[in-house]
Amino acid sequence: EAGVTQFPSHSVIEKGQTVTLRCDPISGHDNLYWYRRVMGKEIKFLLHFVKESKQDESGMPNNRFLAERTGGTYSTLKVQPAELEDSGVYFCASSPRLAGVGEQYFGPGTRLTVT
Amino acid sequence: GENVEQHPSTLSVQEGDSAVIKCTYSDSASNYFPWYKQELGKRPQLIIDIRSNVGEKKDQRIAVTLNKTAKHFSLHITETQPEDSAVYFCAASPHNFNKFYFGSGTKLNVKP
């Protein structure tokens, strides 16, 4: 079984530019999550999809961040325009459960550097 | 919301020694506590988890204990090996919320 994949693995952009991160969850997983780790700090929740619907986007920092999951398969996270404080590692995770809590399977992350 | 504190931030042990990482949480509604291990350049992977109706869980050399009254849980690794070197994250998940609140991570270095 293929794991969660993320693209790109690294991205270096200038302040003010736009970047789109992609996540492909494990096939059949209805739940998809985005998290972010800023250097040395905790992994912070950004948002949660159930299929194509945003279940919880309480962790999204501001309206420069836009997440989509068209068709309930892969998801994209767009940052526009990027700011210096957006630098960090963006993780995607997926899980099969529709209710209750259990293991979330993480992708390898996208390291975003905004200069 | 939930707040998870993790200590220490770095931990260095000699191969064969034990390692203990401690976490506290603030929301008494949290009922699921996973531990993830992230090796250098790799994805975080679940190594053990515990639910609030259990006080302790073991899996070979690793164990997790949970004290609901004090709102803290700990990861214990015995007979450490160099391949245990990694960053370990604790997390808590409140009941009916499908998201994890993570601690800030512990970088464990096992010296051969």
Side-chain angles (χ1 to χ4, degrees), chain B residues 16-40:
Chain B
D17 288 350
S18 295
V20 180
I21 302 170
K22 299 183 179 183
C23 290
T24 60
Y25 62 100
S26 60
D27 190 344
S28 56
S30 287
N31 64 349
Y32 178 67
F33 306 90
W35 285 87
Y36 281 80
K37 174 184 180 183
Q38 187 181 19
E39 296 177 66
L40 193 62

Side-chain angles (χ1 to χ4, degrees), chain A residues 38-93:
Chain A
V38 173
M39 187 184 319
K41 298 198 173 180
E42 73 272 26
I43 301 172
K44 257 189 164 177
F45 169 83
L46 297 178
L47 88 158
H48 168 213
F49 285 98
V50 177
K51 298 186 180 179
E52 66 275 7
S53 300
K54 289 176 187 173
Q55 186 78 10
D56 180 352
E57 51 184 330
S58 61
M60 295 288 263
N62 50 60
N63 58 11
R64 295 185 294 103
F65 289 75
L66 175 65
E68 294 181 321
R69 192 183 182 194
T70 308
T73 55
Y74 70 91
S75 174
T76 58
L77 179 64
K78 182 160 73 172
V79 185
Q80 179 184 30
E83 298 288 346
L84 298 178
E85 63 264 25
D86 301 333
S87 294
V89 180
Y90 289 76
F91 291 104
C92 175

Side-chain angles (χ1 to χ4, degrees), chain A residues 2-9 22-26 29 32-35 43 89-95 104-111, chain B residues 36-39 41-45:
Chain A
V4 176
T5 57
Q6 293 187 243
F7 183 82
S9 56
R22 174 171 168 143
C23 167
D24 286 78
I26 293 171
H29 282 194
L32 186 149
Y33 311 82
W34 284 99
Y35 291 88
I43 301 172
V89 180
Y90 289 76
F91 291 104
C92 175
S94 70
S95 72
Q104 294 180 12
Y105 298 82
F106 277 75
T110 293
R111 181 175 296 278
Chain B
Y36 281 80
K37 174 184 180 183
Q38 187 181 19
E39 296 177 66
K42 297 190 177 181
R43 68 191 67 211
Q45 290 199 296

Side-chain angles (χ1 to χ4, degrees), chain B residues 46-92:
Chain B
L46 180 76
I47 54 169
I48 196 167
D49 56 9
I50 192 167
R51 297 187 185 273
S52 58
N53 57 349
V54 175
E56 183 176 3
K57 184 176 178 181
K58 284 184 181 179
D59 183 2
Q60 300 183 336
R61 295 186 298 107
I62 59 173
V64 58
T65 58
L66 171 65
N67 183 326
K68 284 192 299 182
T69 304
K71 296 198 193 74
H72 66 71
F73 56 115
S74 301
L75 178 72
H76 304 253
I77 306 174
T78 58
E79 300 171 23
T80 53
Q81 300 167 5
E83 52 264 39
D84 295 329
S85 295
V87 179
Y88 291 80
F89 294 95
C90 64

